[in-house]
Amino acid sequence: MPISAAGADQTAGERTTPHLSPECCLSLLSDATGGYLALSLGALPIVVPVSCALDGGCLLVRAGPGSLDRLTAKPGIVAFGTAIPSADGTCRRELLVQGRAEVVRQPATDVPPRLPLANVSLTTVLRVTLERLTGWEYRPAL
């Protein structure tokens, strides 16, 4: 699982560490409950709010009713982003997952308990491989 060595960006009032270790990113991702999924639909980019759960070496994401109605059987390459505040509130960590997505055909039995489905027919669940996992930590400027 390669980690991007992107340079540090700095915005007003914040300072950032260039990247988080792969182990830290994976640990933080296991605590994530939601984020945004970016994919191409009909050659146009779309971003959809989703809930998520880590399932072994993959990320399961669930989109709400109508969000991905026109999704093909092979969604292809996608990106998932989420922000996770630290427990003490002193920093924010942002994670980006890039990988291949596939539609989960039987989500009622294939989804971990952290991602319960109220009505399987109203949601779309995708399994995303963790091909590239990148993370940054932001803290208030000194």
Side-chain angles (χ1 to χ4, degrees):
M1 187 170 20
I3 291 294
S4 171
D9 293 328
Q10 198 156 348
T11 59
E14 289 186 333
R15 63 184 168 88
T16 179
T17 303
H19 65 275
L20 299 172
S21 72
E23 298 79 16
C24 182
C25 288
L26 197 54
S27 175
L28 290 168
L29 190 58
S30 69
D31 292 335
T33 57
Y36 292 90
L37 183 71
L39 66 156
S40 177
L41 191 61
L44 297 173
I46 64 168
V47 177
V48 179
V50 294
S51 57
C52 68
L54 198 57
D55 184 29
C58 293
L59 181 69
L60 295 177
V61 296
R62 177 183 61 194
S67 299
L68 299 174
D69 285 348
R70 298 178 299 147
L71 186 68
T72 64
K74 297 200 180 266
I77 303 290
V78 300
F80 167 82
T82 189
I84 301 169
S86 63
D88 62 4
T90 60
C91 67
R92 180 182 85 246
R93 294 162 184 136
E94 293 182 357
L95 302 175
L96 176 64
V97 173
Q98 294 166 293
R100 297 186 186 280
E102 65 180 9
V103 177
V104 174
R105 296 289 173 212
Q106 295 177 327
T109 59
D110 200 19
V111 176
R114 287 190 47 223
L115 196 61
L117 301 176
N119 185 339
V120 175
S121 67
L122 294 178
T123 61
T124 301
V125 177
L126 302 177
R127 177 175 284 109
V128 179
T129 60
L130 303 177
E131 293 182 27
R132 185 173 182 144
L133 179 56
T134 310
W136 302 267
E137 183 173 278
Y138 296 88
R139 295 184 174 274
L142 297 174

